[in-house]
Amino acid sequence: MTDLLSRRSASSTQRVSRWTPSSAVGTSAGAVLIVALAALPYLINLATIYAMIDLFVLLILASTWNLLAGFGGMVSVGQQAYIGLGAYSLVTLADLLGVNVFLAIPIAAIVSALVAIPVSYLAFRLVGGYFAVGTWVIAEVFRLVTIQIPQVGGGAGVSISAMSGFPRDLRIAVGYWVALVCVVVVVGSCVLLVRSRFGLALTALRDDPTAAATSGVNVDASKRLVYLISAAGAGVAGTLIAISTLRVQPSGVYDVQWSAFMIFMVVIGGVGTLEGPIIGAVIFWLLKQALAEYGSAYLIGLGILGVLFVLFARRGIWGLVSRRGRVDLFPVGYRLRLPDQTRRKQ
Amino acid sequence: MTPEPLVETRSVGRSFGRLEVLSGFDLKVEAGEVLGIIGPNGAGKSTLLAVLGGAIPPTTGTILLDGVDVTRRPSHWRARHGIATSYQVPRPFLGMSVLENLLVAATFAAGSRGHRAQAAAVDSLQRTNLERFANAEASSLRLLDRKRLEVARALASGPRLLLLDEIAGGLTEQEVPELVELVRSVAASGVTVIWIEHVVHALTAVATRLLCLSYGRVLAEGEPAAVLASPEVRRIYLGLDPEVAAPAGGPDA
């Protein structure tokens, strides 16, 4: 009897949908938010605008580190290698080679991804904790190599003159819009990536690499591609840091503290989801704004918070939100319209 | 010239440290066969499936698929060339829905796209009676439904060779015939099956050939009733006294 019913329903086409009510609301809200953010420089003071660029950098870092660690299972402590590479690529392209500074951003992202190819063959020889330490060492090598290059200021760093054509207020506003475009492109790409065919492989890989392989997913190739994509993302973050601070120093851009921030944001937000890193970045940014005056005590506070989340809320804030069942703010899933549900609607 | 067997192992061995789980293992499985494998725990049954599926490389020997050496081919390559595995301990993608679990296999193993992949996933849901769980997260399924999902995912990959590892254990007396019927219909559609099972009567209901493994070696092999009647199998696997003759109906009661 049940067999007969299910056979009949099978003949109806188009039974799988990608959208859910929550993802329709979430994606529309996201679109409205982007428009509102674009208008922001006309509405609020420049100091806040400046702080917003910092938020966008954090959003990019959290989202791309999450792709790497949350989906790819590769806990890297060395993504600052690509933050630095992105920042220095921008300086080189814009100031030394005279490339348009806005065009230099995507080129710097591509440079980061290209450099990540040979690095991946080195780093992927290690797994788990060894991979983490190995990536940190690689980032240190990047820093040490940069110090040896006098054309970009060696250990002292270099100032950027490509943005000096703008008056100060406009420069900050332009920096803001550029950062907004970058964050929309990077986070949007993460959403499209997870929604795509490759995202299906990536999500399977996140949950069980062995079963993913026996289901036909090329695990190694998928991991490598994720590594390249997140290197490009970190490179974009580096270019934004360079454009907004107007100065690039090896000790700043190659600081392992970036990795600590990325881990913190993704862990408290919710690892392995698209929504988690966004929430984590916003929370981290708010804490940074509110507690910055307490100096190192604020870092201790962040550390304690991170430990509490790891112990008691391993799936982060987004995990608490969706603990009664998966909630997607982006249309990345697949849902089957069951026969009884369709009937109820008619 | 006889056609090549679908899958063949030539003196395949697998050791874990000093423990030799499989040794000098030769097997030929013709297309369309349903090969049942029985044997005591630790006999090397699951290791054999892992070696065939590519999850574990053999220490020695060669594996051939359609007469071509695939020993060094990774799991995903074998999945794309028609070898599907249903693991003994289910390995669902816990954070994905049941439908999405099947879509992974339909997309990457079977190589289907879009609506064709979705149709294959839905078809596999229906064959395994999992349709009502389609949108449930795999982590919410009970063990038996996870086992069903494991079989469903293997089917969704559109296999030529289906490797099943203890899928009947824990099922009720009503559910076992359903499962047998499922395997029979899969085999009837032209899929070759290698099925490890302790529920012997389920196996004998569909198996065209039975193989009993013990300590990595073949104890007995051949027509199911004959294998179950053989003295070694009765003594080592079934724990029966070989001196007492087997009942006429076989031990599948």
Side-chain angles (χ1 to χ4, degrees):
Chain A
M1 183 63 191
T2 49
D3 228 31
L4 274 174
L5 279 175
S6 59
R7 289 263 162 74
R8 200 188 313 148
S9 62
S11 59
S12 60
T13 51
Q14 286 286 333
R15 294 186 57 211
V16 176
S17 74
R18 310 284 322 253
W19 290 84
T20 62
S22 68
S23 68
V25 171
T27 307
S28 324
V32 172
L33 186 67
I34 291 166
V35 174
L37 285 172
L40 215 56
Y42 297 107
L43 306 171
I44 60 174
N45 67 50
L46 281 173
T48 317
I49 290 298
Y50 196 73
M52 291 292 286
I53 300 176
D54 187 34
L55 170 64
F56 294 161
V57 169
L58 294 173
L59 278 169
I60 290 170
L61 289 176
S63 293
T64 53
W65 191 81
N66 175 58
L67 275 187
L68 192 63
F71 286 95
M74 293 169 281
V75 178
S76 167
V77 192
Q79 285 303 93
Q80 64 272 17
Y82 303 106
I83 299 177
L85 186 62
Y88 276 103
S89 298
L90 182 100
V91 174
T92 310
L93 286 161
D95 280 4
L96 300 181
L97 302 176
V99 176
N100 177 295
V101 68
F102 305 115
L103 189 64
I105 296 173
I107 299 174
I110 293 166
V111 168
S112 296
L114 289 178
V115 172
I117 297 172
V119 173
S120 75
Y121 281 91
L122 192 65
F124 281 20
R125 298 173 68 91
L126 306 167
V127 289
Y130 299 99
F131 176 82
V133 175
T135 51
W136 188 356
V137 171
I138 290 167
E140 277 302 295
V141 171
F142 274 49
R143 186 179 67 83
L144 293 170
V145 169
T146 307
I147 290 174
Q148 301 305 318
I149 305 172
Q151 285 81 359
V152 290
V158 62
S159 291
I160 298 166
S161 52
M163 294 291 283
S164 57
F166 296 105
R168 183 176 169 274
D169 290 5
L170 184 61
R171 194 196 75 224
I172 293 175
V174 167
Y176 171 88
W177 280 314
V178 168
L180 179 62
V181 169
C182 289
V183 81
V184 169
V185 168
V186 171
V187 176
S189 303
C190 289
V191 172
L192 290 176
L193 196 73
V194 172
R195 185 183 153 87
S196 73
R197 220 172 94 87
F198 179 60
L200 197 63
L202 215 51
T203 316
L205 179 65
R206 171 195 74 184
D207 288 350
D208 193 322
T210 306
T214 29
S215 300
V217 175
N218 188 340
V219 171
D220 290 346
S222 303
K223 280 183 155 183
R224 198 175 310 281
L225 187 52
V226 168
Y227 186 76
L228 302 195
I229 292 167
S230 57
V236 170
T239 64
L240 296 179
I241 293 166
I243 286 176
S244 64
T245 61
L246 297 180
R247 188 162 177 81
V248 180
Q249 281 176 300
S251 57
V253 285
Y254 289 115
D255 196 339
V256 71
Q257 188 163 283
W258 289 114
S259 281
F261 292 165
M262 289 183 239
I263 294 168
F264 179 83
M265 291 185 285
V266 174
V267 165
I268 64 164
V271 65
T273 62
L274 284 168
E275 295 85 355
I278 296 174
I279 295 168
V282 172
I283 288 174
F284 176 66
W285 179 74
L286 290 172
L287 286 172
K288 219 176 146 190
Q289 304 298 314
L291 305 173
E293 64 212 68
Y294 297 100
S296 57
Y298 125 85
L299 286 174
I300 295 169
L302 290 183
I304 292 170
L305 192 61
V307 169
L308 288 176
F309 267 92
V310 168
L311 289 178
F312 302 110
R314 300 200 62 175
R315 295 175 61 205
I317 290 171
W318 194 249
L320 296 175
V321 171
S322 57
R323 71 181 183 281
R324 288 177 189 282
R326 197 171 85 191
V327 182
D328 286 329
L329 288 188
F330 302 106
V332 293
Y334 298 80
R335 291 188 68 80
L336 185 67
R337 279 190 285 269
L338 295 168
D340 53 323
Q341 285 174 347
T342 358
R343 218 176 297 136
R344 217 172 290 142
K345 269 178 199 160
Q346 283 162 355
Chain B
M1 192 185 129
T2 53
E4 298 284 357
L6 177 66
V7 69
E8 182 179 355
T9 68
R10 286 185 191 157
S11 54
V12 160
R14 172 69 212 196
S15 305
F16 295 97
R18 292 177 62 190
L19 182 69
E20 201 175 35
V21 177
L22 276 179
S23 61
F25 190 80
D26 290 311
L27 177 71
K28 276 185 190 175
V29 183
E30 306 292 336
E33 268 195 286
V34 178
L35 173 69
I37 299 182
I38 56 172
N41 290 326
K45 306 186 296 295
S46 295
T47 304
L48 172 64
L49 286 205
V51 165
L52 289 176
I56 298 175
T59 347
T60 56
T62 321
I63 300 158
L64 299 115
L65 183 68
D66 296 319
V68 178
D69 186 351
V70 297
T71 317
R72 306 211 164 273
R73 297 291 188 177
S75 300
H76 70 87
W77 187 93
R78 295 193 205 185
R80 290 173 187 185
H81 288 77
I83 302 182
T85 308
S86 167
Y87 288 103
Q88 180 185 5
V89 178
R91 313 191 66 128
F93 305 125
L94 288 171
M96 302 174 101
S97 75
V98 168
L99 176 71
E100 287 162 352
N101 266 267
L102 306 187
L103 275 172
V104 174
T107 306
F108 296 100
S112 307
R113 282 169 181 267
H115 295 307
R116 283 191 55 201
Q118 292 167 5
V122 172
D123 177 57
S124 161
L125 275 178
Q126 289 169 346
R127 287 171 84 174
T128 49
N129 272 327
L130 278 172
E131 201 180 13
R132 66 207 151 104
F133 295 118
N135 299 326
E137 240 186 289
S139 59
S140 70
L141 297 189
R142 296 169 308 136
L143 177 64
L144 285 183
D145 291 322
R146 288 186 188 196
K147 284 187 153 195
R148 275 210 188 96
L149 173 57
E150 198 66 26
V151 177
R153 196 171 58 194
L155 288 179
S157 67
R160 291 193 295 149
L161 173 64
L162 181 60
L163 307 175
L164 302 170
D165 196 350
E166 290 191 31
I167 55 171
L171 294 185
T172 66
E173 282 306 304
Q174 288 81 41
E175 287 170 319
V176 172
E178 276 180 37
L179 184 71
V180 166
E181 208 37 61
L182 174 65
V183 176
R184 191 173 279 149
S185 76
V186 170
S189 68
V191 178
T192 309
V193 180
I194 301 180
W195 184 5
I196 294 174
E197 193 54 75
H198 281 308
V199 184
V200 178
H201 67 272
L203 212 49
T204 48
V206 276
T208 53
R209 182 155 66 110
L210 202 58
L211 188 151
C212 184
L213 263 183
S214 181
Y215 292 107
R217 289 173 187 283
V218 178
L219 203 62
E221 189 194 347
E223 206 270 319
V227 168
L228 290 173
S230 85
E232 288 90 355
V233 173
R234 287 175 63 77
R235 187 170 51 81
I236 292 177
Y237 179 58
L238 299 171
L240 300 174
D241 185 352
E243 300 305 317
V244 181
D252 58 338

